[in-house]
Amino acid sequence: QSQSGFITTQAGKLLCSKIIHLFPSDNVKSQVSKVLNECELRMYKSVAFPAIGTGQAGQSPAKVADDMLDAIVEFVSKRSVQYLKKIKIVIFQTHMLRDFYESMKKREDSDLPTRDSWMSMFKSFFWGKKPSTEKKKPVVLEKKVDVATFQICGESQKNVDATESWIKNLILKEQLENSISDELIVNFGESQIDTLADLQRRTHVTIQLESNLFPPCIKISGISRDVFYVSVKIQKMIQKMKDAQEEQSKAELVYNLVEWRYPGSNESFVAFDKLTNMQLEDAKIAKKSHLTVKINKKNYKVDLNTLQANDDQGETIIIQRVPKNEGKL
């Protein structure tokens, strides 16, 4: 179905009801507005956008964020909107989150009467669901205080003052402060806090958590070489969390498309955990012949062509790959 500026088609095997294909254009705001109005006209309840124009079109993520949010603000401010209840912006590149967040913050002080509703809606776009009302137990990093006392004796007050000044300057030259900001810091649990505490104990630094800021940050201060060392360790820890989060998100997406199963009891089949499910699907897509997985704490070598799996004792079982093509959102 062709319209002005876009074409609407069936979803095919994708888990949605319709797909709106936009014609190439530099006017992102106009494109978003057209889609929103079309959704309302067709009485669609929800719509999901990518970060339009940030791929091959090469547009600035900050400008795209402003244009898309301008269009959404104008749309939700209309009194005539009745059917479209959920608007999502799906951002796969995590570095773009800051651009959309900053664009959203600029609108927080708007005088629009619907400000509370669309601000809470925007926030749900990025975090996926409303924040839990359950209070999270605060995780506290114990402050480190190392005190060194200098006693200065001299022939005159002038000499004592000069020596005191020299010591202070020497200390300041060796001191450095570095800040690391990242959204994932707010998700630090006991394991990460224990790591920070251990780094603080083993080095000449003080680590301060500023989790009430956005994005949250960690301040590291102390002797220069130790500040550099601790900063690298923290960056690696955050990257590990990001990798795990991205892997989990990908596993969730793959699980929504296909499910791998192994034999359970009573001739039934049991779904693999989502990470193993993703590993099996990735191996099949990569046309690998075999993959070793763990089933009931035993290693099985899966033949991805015959879907047979053999353990170390030669026992053979049959596994299943079940596409989830029939469901619609």
Side-chain angles (χ1 to χ4, degrees), residues 24-262:
S25 171
D26 292 332
N27 193 338
V28 172
K29 181 179 177 181
S30 174
Q31 289 182 307
V32 173
S33 296
K34 287 179 180 179
V35 171
L36 293 175
N37 290 324
E38 175 71 6
C39 290
E40 178 67 14
L41 179 65
R42 301 295 176 187
M43 295 184 290
Y44 299 150
K45 293 182 179 180
S46 65
V47 62
F49 291 92
I52 298 172
T54 57
Q56 292 184 351
Q59 294 199 45
S60 161
K63 182 179 183 303
V64 167
D66 286 341
D67 288 348
M68 293 188 72
L69 296 184
D70 280 344
I72 294 172
V73 168
E74 289 182 8
F75 177 79
V76 299
S77 300
K78 295 178 181 178
R79 299 294 183 184
S80 58
V81 177
Q82 298 180 34
Y83 302 103
L84 189 57
K85 301 298 182 184
K86 183 183 292 184
I87 306 169
K88 289 188 177 182
I89 301 177
V90 182
I91 303 171
F92 292 102
Q93 299 87 348
T94 54
H95 67 275
M96 290 186 190
L97 281 173
R98 181 182 295 275
D99 294 307
F100 278 82
Y101 177 80
E102 293 299 331
S103 183
M104 183 178 71
K105 284 290 291 181
K106 288 189 293 187
R107 294 159 174 77
E108 192 167 8
D109 297 325
S110 168
D111 292 330
L112 286 172
T114 55
R115 178 175 70 91
D116 289 343
S117 61
W118 61 258
M119 276 304 299
S120 61
M121 180 174 63
F122 282 166
K123 290 175 182 176
S124 71
F125 295 162
F126 296 99
W127 287 278
K129 59 183 179 179
K130 293 181 179 178
S132 173
T133 54
E134 181 182 352
K135 290 187 177 180
K136 189 176 179 181
K137 184 179 178 181
V139 184
V140 179
L141 180 64
E142 184 180 349
K143 289 187 177 181
K144 177 180 180 181
V145 180
D146 291 331
V147 178
T149 303
F150 291 88
Q151 291 183 340
I152 305 171
C153 302
E155 295 179 352
S156 65
Q157 186 63 42
K158 181 179 179 181
N159 290 343
V160 171
D161 291 342
T163 304
E164 181 183 359
S165 178
W166 177 80
I167 292 174
K168 287 181 177 179
N169 288 335
L170 192 63
I171 293 172
L172 289 174
K173 286 180 181 179
E174 288 295 321
Q175 292 293 303
L176 181 68
E177 182 174 287
N178 184 38
S179 293
I180 299 173
S181 299
D182 197 282
E183 293 89 347
L184 286 182
I185 292 173
V186 77
N187 295 327
F188 274 18
E190 290 185 8
S191 173
Q192 288 77 27
I193 295 299
D194 287 344
T195 300
L196 294 179
D198 181 62
L199 288 170
Q200 190 171 243
R201 278 192 300 268
R202 294 189 292 107
T203 60
H204 298 287
V205 301
T206 297
I207 301 174
Q208 184 179 357
L209 277 173
E210 297 284 354
S211 55
N212 58 326
L213 302 177
F214 190 92
C217 76
I218 298 174
K219 291 182 179 178
I220 309 112
S221 56
I223 296 177
S224 301
R225 65 176 182 274
D226 286 349
V227 170
F228 285 125
Y229 171 78
V230 171
S231 296
V232 170
K233 289 290 186 182
I234 293 174
Q235 291 281 18
K236 288 182 177 180
M237 182 169 63
I238 293 174
Q239 187 59 51
K240 185 177 179 180
M241 292 177 65
K242 285 183 179 179
D243 292 343
Q245 190 179 69
E246 289 177 4
E247 185 178 42
Q248 191 63 45
S249 297
K250 182 184 175 184
E252 189 73 37
L253 177 61
V254 172
Y255 185 74
N256 288 331
L257 299 175
V258 63
E259 183 176 284
W260 288 77
R261 302 171 179 172
Y262 61 90

